Amino acid sequence: MRVRQGNRLDQPSLERPILTHILYAAPLSLYSGKARAFLDWKGVDYEEVLATPEIHKKETIPPIGRPVIPVIKKADGTVLQDTTVIIDHFEAADPAAPSVYPTGPRQKFAALLLECFGDEWLLLPAMHYRWNYNDPWIYGEFGKVALPGGTPEEQAVAGRERGAGFRGLVPMLGINDTTIPAIEAGYEAFLSDFDAHLEHHDYLFGSRPSIGDYGLIGPLYAHLYRDPASGEIMERLAPRVAQWVRRMVDVEAPQSGEFLAGDAIPETLLPILARMMREQIPHLANVAAILKTWAENSDDAQPPRALGLASFTIEGITSERLAFPFSLWMLQRSLDYFASLSDGDRAACEKLMQSVGGEALVNFDMPVRLKFEDHKLTVAGR
């Protein structure tokens, strides 16, 4: 259950008893979009509450230590943070129900990879288009979260104050005058590839959304579809992608659909996987090398949120961006699954990776094992 009024979520009393799960989120939030779409497809009973500053002060900062969304407060008071943690919790809660994880080894491996690609790499175009195409609209959206009862003028002022920190991250993510043409060219090529795939399939692997679809929906909905200038670009260049976004966020039949038979990987997905292999994986190898140096010179259990700058190349243009250890944890999920496979299934996944230039992924050197528990990323064993 979600309580809405126009484009603003109403807030129930902070003091009333919890009768169902509560999702603390916001319409403009990338990862809120991912969590919301999954909860709707999974048929989870929840109420969405706008994550205002007051809500952060009372509900998210005390258990987590920082004002982050989305956050789920379960009916028993347990707090879940991070979309992957939220998804895996509700998947495990009802193992007999239809799952967003395919059972076929190639499909599951590819789906895990595409979750990492969407969550961590499509952040580049998502942040670029939001902050370089949608100003001043986006400041008004931040203002609606900061001052839901304010006038448009008050919200505009509050939104600029609240959004300034996000806007300031843009160059640190590698979005600059040199890389912007490459980011746009790469995004448009991705849209073309995904649009071609959706001519034949409703989702990545058939008629049921996978964990990979949920990785993609975060940036493609909250930033690249919902923000007006970005949404116009998507509708014009890739109308099937826009239709897919609407299918993902306006769920008509929860827990419906099937994955393709025979563990099939559509040929139309290969260009998207190949893009991940040539762009994201080399960057993550650079991040892994930086993490290795940090781990060898620090006894801390918790790495910094960013470990300096790591190089990346997109559409032939090279620059630097923040090196996020969390991105390696997301990749580690795929590598763990790959390592768990039988020899035959592993060989099938290796063959898939060879077809998309993914040899470096198969031999990826993860310097330390990472874990995400109690809302923190840490080095296992420390």
Side-chain angles (χ1 to χ4, degrees):
M1 176 179 66
R2 282 177 282 168
V3 183
R4 293 187 180 274
Q5 181 177 341
N7 198 32
R8 180 173 65 83
L9 298 173
D10 285 336
Q11 299 173 51
S13 167
L14 293 174
E15 305 302 325
R16 68 172 178 76
I18 298 175
L19 303 177
T20 187
H21 304 308
I22 296 178
L23 172 66
Y24 299 111
L28 56 76
S29 161
L30 186 154
Y31 297 106
S32 292
K34 177 185 176 184
R36 187 187 302 112
F38 167 79
L39 294 171
D40 287 347
W41 184 84
K42 198 67 176 178
V44 175
D45 179 28
Y46 74 99
E47 179 177 342
E48 184 169 344
V49 174
L50 186 66
T52 65
E54 182 182 10
I55 287 292
H56 279 304
K57 182 178 178 180
K58 292 181 177 289
E59 299 290 350
T60 67
I61 295 176
I64 296 168
R66 60 193 187 279
V68 62
I69 52 174
V71 169
I72 285 275
K73 187 173 185 179
K74 294 179 57 190
D76 65 4
T78 303
V79 173
L80 306 173
Q81 184 266 315
D82 183 76
T83 53
T84 298
V85 171
I86 290 168
I87 289 172
D88 285 356
H89 171 83
F90 287 105
E91 285 283 294
D94 191 1
S99 173
V100 299
Y101 287 97
T103 56
R106 298 200 312 159
Q107 287 182 359
K108 184 171 181 178
F109 184 47
L112 285 164
L113 288 171
L114 290 171
E115 184 196 19
C116 179
F117 177 73
D119 266 18
E120 304 297 317
W121 200 245
L122 288 185
L123 188 64
L124 275 163
M127 289 293 283
H128 161 56
Y129 283 95
R130 165 159 287 184
W131 294 107
N132 291 319
Y133 277 70
N134 289 282
D135 178 7
W137 180 85
I138 189 57
Y139 287 116
E141 292 297 289
F142 272 90
K144 291 175 183 177
V145 178
L147 286 176
T151 67
E153 294 75 18
E154 291 170 334
Q155 289 176 343
V157 173
R160 285 195 173 273
E161 293 177 356
R162 190 176 179 88
F166 292 92
R167 179 66 180 88
L169 281 174
V170 169
M172 301 302 291
L173 294 174
I175 302 167
N176 52 57
D177 290 343
T178 300
T179 61
I180 282 173
I183 291 169
E184 293 189 356
Y187 173 61
E188 290 184 10
F190 163 78
L191 281 182
S192 178
D193 291 337
F194 195 22
D195 196 75
H197 170 78
L198 293 168
E199 182 178 1
H200 306 285
H201 305 281
D202 287 342
Y203 302 99
L204 289 174
F205 302 100
S207 59
R208 179 190 298 185
S210 71
I211 189 65
D213 291 271
Y214 290 105
L216 298 181
I217 193 58
L220 289 176
Y221 167 63
H223 287 227
L224 294 164
Y225 173 87
R226 189 175 177 275
D227 291 7
S230 311
E232 186 279 327
I233 292 170
M234 182 187 291
E235 293 278 11
R236 174 166 46 84
L237 297 182
R240 294 187 191 94
V241 176
Q243 292 167 5
W244 167 87
V245 169
R246 290 188 283 271
R247 280 197 297 277
M248 290 287 292
V249 302
D250 296 323
V251 179
E252 294 185 357
Q255 300 190 21
S256 64
E258 301 293 339
F259 294 123
L260 294 170
D263 197 23
I265 301 291
E267 290 286 326
T268 46
L269 286 185
L270 300 185
I272 298 174
L273 288 167
R275 177 171 298 278
M276 179 184 183
M277 295 305 116
R278 69 176 178 267
E279 292 181 355
Q280 188 179 17
I281 297 305
H283 169 69
L284 291 181
N286 294 333
V287 177
I290 297 171
L291 178 62
K292 180 179 181 180
T293 299
W294 173 85
E296 291 172 346
N297 292 277
S298 174
D299 295 326
D300 292 343
Q302 190 172 352
R305 183 167 180 263
L307 291 165
L309 297 173
S311 66
F312 73 102
T313 300
I314 185 168
E315 295 292 317
I317 300 299
T318 298
S319 188
E320 290 185 321
R321 67 193 304 266
L322 289 174
F324 295 112
F326 188 85
S327 297
L328 291 176
W329 178 73
M330 287 295 297
L331 183 66
Q332 182 180 274
R333 285 163 45 77
S334 308
L335 298 176
D336 282 353
Y337 178 69
F338 178 75
S340 75
L341 295 173
S342 66
D343 290 345
D345 288 342
R346 191 181 305 117
C349 288
E350 284 188 19
K351 185 175 181 180
L352 171 63
M353 289 298 97
Q354 290 168 359
S355 72
V356 295
E359 291 84 357
L361 174 69
V362 172
N363 300 301
F364 196 92
D365 182 17
M366 191 70 76
V368 295
R369 179 157 190 83
L370 298 168
K371 64 178 181 178
F372 188 81
E373 293 179 352
D374 299 324
H375 323 302
K376 296 186 296 291
L377 183 72
T378 59
V379 175
R382 289 192 177 182

